[in-house]
Amino acid sequence: MVRDLDILLELQQRCELLVSMTIETDREDVKPLFAPLALGINQRLKALRNVHAAGINTQASISPLLPFTPDFPKRLQRIVDRIYIDSLNIGDGLKGKRSVQLGMPLLF
């Protein structure tokens, strides 16, 4: 995402832009259970920080909401404009099918 910052800035000139990134948790011991192939938590936070610093609206999508440390909200301060929180019960956009395929209900 950061490597495409120039493209995002150009796009922002043409339309209203919001960059949203999923960050399920800030606990490195929990992340591999649910998002083993996703970028590391610190890499995602850094990308959001850089995009936000460039003047682009940012959002952290905490989905599904997993166990996190008390410092997680503090880590999101000043790097996101909005936070979207979703639980496994709300669904994954496919009425829960993707969550079931990934074995998430058993992990919870």
Side-chain angles (χ1 to χ4, degrees):
M1 176 180 303
V2 175
R3 71 172 187 240
D4 296 325
L5 191 55
D6 57 336
I7 296 170
L8 292 172
L9 288 168
E10 184 178 330
L11 184 59
Q12 182 175 277
Q13 298 296 318
R14 299 174 184 215
C15 65
E16 187 175 335
L17 183 62
L18 172 69
V19 172
S20 181
M21 185 172 296
T22 300
I23 305 176
E24 307 85 353
T25 180
D26 68 335
R27 287 182 44 186
E28 292 290 350
D29 63 323
V30 173
K31 180 204 161 291
L33 298 172
F34 292 88
L37 302 178
L39 281 176
I41 294 164
N42 288 329
Q43 290 173 289
R44 290 186 270 171
L45 290 171
K46 182 180 178 183
L48 279 172
R49 185 177 299 109
N50 290 340
V51 171
H52 189 266
I56 298 172
N57 290 320
T58 55
Q59 170 180 289
S61 178
I62 304 173
S63 176
L65 178 61
L66 299 178
F68 57 90
T69 72
D71 289 335
F72 193 24
K74 293 176 191 171
R75 294 180 78 184
L76 297 173
Q77 283 181 335
R78 293 182 294 280
I79 66 169
V80 295
D81 299 294
R82 298 185 337 191
I83 298 173
Y84 175 80
I85 300 174
D86 189 6
S87 70
L88 188 62
N89 294 330
I90 293 172
D92 58 12
L94 292 173
K95 299 182 180 178
K97 292 177 185 175
R98 181 175 42 210
S99 296
V100 171
Q101 289 173 346
L102 293 172
M104 287 185 179
L106 293 174
L107 290 172
F108 267 100

